[in-house]
Amino acid sequence: MFGKLFPFFNAIYPELCIACDEEHPVENSCFCINCMLELPFTNFHLEPDNAVEKFFWGRLAVERGTSMFYFQKGELVQEMIHRLKYKNEGFIGKLLGLKFGEILMESDFLKDIDFIVPVPIHKSKRNVRNYNQCALIADGISKITGIPYVENVLIKHNKTASQTNKTREQRIDNLKHTFRVENPEKLAGQHVLLLDDILTTGATLEAAGSLIVDFNCRISIAVLAVGKY
């Protein structure tokens, strides 16, 4: 399958490594050899009861959870995500999605996932950014795995009110009122992979996931990066 995608890879992969933006990437990759060795890959897709899954214990009924990277301030992963979200470098999202898809295919993590749902952003933010970074990551994973991603199921219809000085429960309730589910018939009885770029407080994923499970869905979670707890 990967061989058929190589022309696509060659068309989209950059001349410079997307992590250091200096060295030439390894063939059919987005990273140079040095960054491949230095980037903090978690390998959570190979580890049952990993940190992402444990994070949601008692919060949300998550079947599987994973993250591609550990997140640490000032390091390469933060810089990549910053460029993706705030520097209009959307290609980074697609490339990271392709890599994430390759990694997930090393295990049975995706064996019964029906479709991928990227966490949405409000239309005002999308108008400024011109894309939803999570949708770009989902598209890359879909290209590798063949699992479709859908953007017309979970919608962010309100801007997020300030979360300052709110408890965890208040933050989740606040966020739940910013999301809505459309086309719920697509969800019934399905196993959904909910995808976000970074796991911090978990409030966004918990709020979005709690709406989805109301439609008799199974939930798994994948994030690009997670902090070390």
Side-chain angles (χ1 to χ4, degrees):
M1 179 177 67
F2 295 152
K4 294 179 181 179
L5 288 169
F6 281 168
F8 172 77
F9 287 171
N10 292 335
I12 192 173
Y13 278 177
E15 294 185 3
L16 295 176
C17 169
I18 65 169
C20 67
D21 205 26
E22 294 178 0
E23 302 295 330
H24 293 291
V26 176
E27 185 177 3
N28 299 314
S29 177
C30 53
F31 301 123
C32 68
I33 186 64
N34 290 331
C35 289
M36 285 282 285
L37 296 173
E38 292 181 12
L39 282 165
F41 292 96
T42 69
N43 291 318
F44 283 167
H45 61 297
L46 304 173
E47 182 184 336
D49 298 336
N50 61 61
V52 172
E53 293 175 4
K54 289 179 179 178
F55 189 93
F56 290 98
W57 285 358
R59 297 184 176 195
L60 182 67
V62 172
E63 297 211 356
R64 301 287 299 273
T66 192
S67 173
M68 182 155 68
F69 299 118
Y70 288 110
F71 179 90
Q72 189 170 346
K73 289 184 178 181
E75 299 295 338
L76 291 174
V77 173
Q78 183 189 31
E79 176 63 21
M80 281 192 293
I81 294 175
H82 180 82
R83 288 164 55 199
L84 168 61
K85 294 176 72 170
Y86 305 113
K87 298 294 185 181
N88 201 32
E89 297 187 43
F91 69 94
I92 290 176
K94 179 70 70 66
L95 294 173
L96 290 176
L98 293 171
K99 183 64 179 178
F100 207 177
E102 290 181 11
I103 288 171
L104 293 176
M105 291 289 283
E106 297 172 354
S107 72
D108 65 351
F109 184 89
L110 299 170
K111 67 177 181 180
D112 61 351
I113 297 291
D114 294 299
F115 53 85
I116 305 166
V117 174
V119 169
I121 60 176
H122 190 263
K123 62 181 180 180
S124 62
K125 184 175 290 185
R126 185 161 190 158
N127 288 340
V128 172
R129 194 175 294 169
N130 297 317
Y131 54 79
N132 174 4
Q133 71 278 0
C134 294
L136 295 180
I137 298 165
D139 185 38
I141 294 173
S142 180
K143 286 284 195 304
I144 292 292
T145 65
I147 298 171
Y149 79 98
V150 291
E151 290 191 83
N152 63 344
V153 170
L154 186 64
I155 306 296
K156 188 169 187 179
H157 63 100
N158 287 326
K159 291 184 179 180
T160 306
S162 174
Q163 301 281 66
T164 305
N165 299 323
K166 285 184 169 61
T167 65
R168 182 177 71 86
E169 290 77 13
Q170 289 171 332
R171 290 183 181 208
I172 293 166
D173 186 63
N174 185 25
L175 284 162
K176 283 181 74 171
H177 288 90
T178 75
F179 295 120
R180 71 169 181 263
V181 171
E182 294 190 345
N183 305 302
E185 68 279 358
K186 291 185 176 181
L187 290 175
Q190 302 298 299
H191 188 176
V192 174
L193 181 64
L194 188 59
L195 178 75
D196 205 356
D197 52 1
I198 185 166
L199 174 58
T200 51
T201 68
T204 298
L205 285 164
E206 189 174 348
S210 64
L211 287 176
I212 291 174
V213 297
D214 284 344
F215 293 92
N216 191 32
C217 286
R218 299 155 61 201
I219 291 280
S220 288
I221 284 176
V223 295
L224 200 60
V226 61
K228 289 188 176 181
Y229 296 98

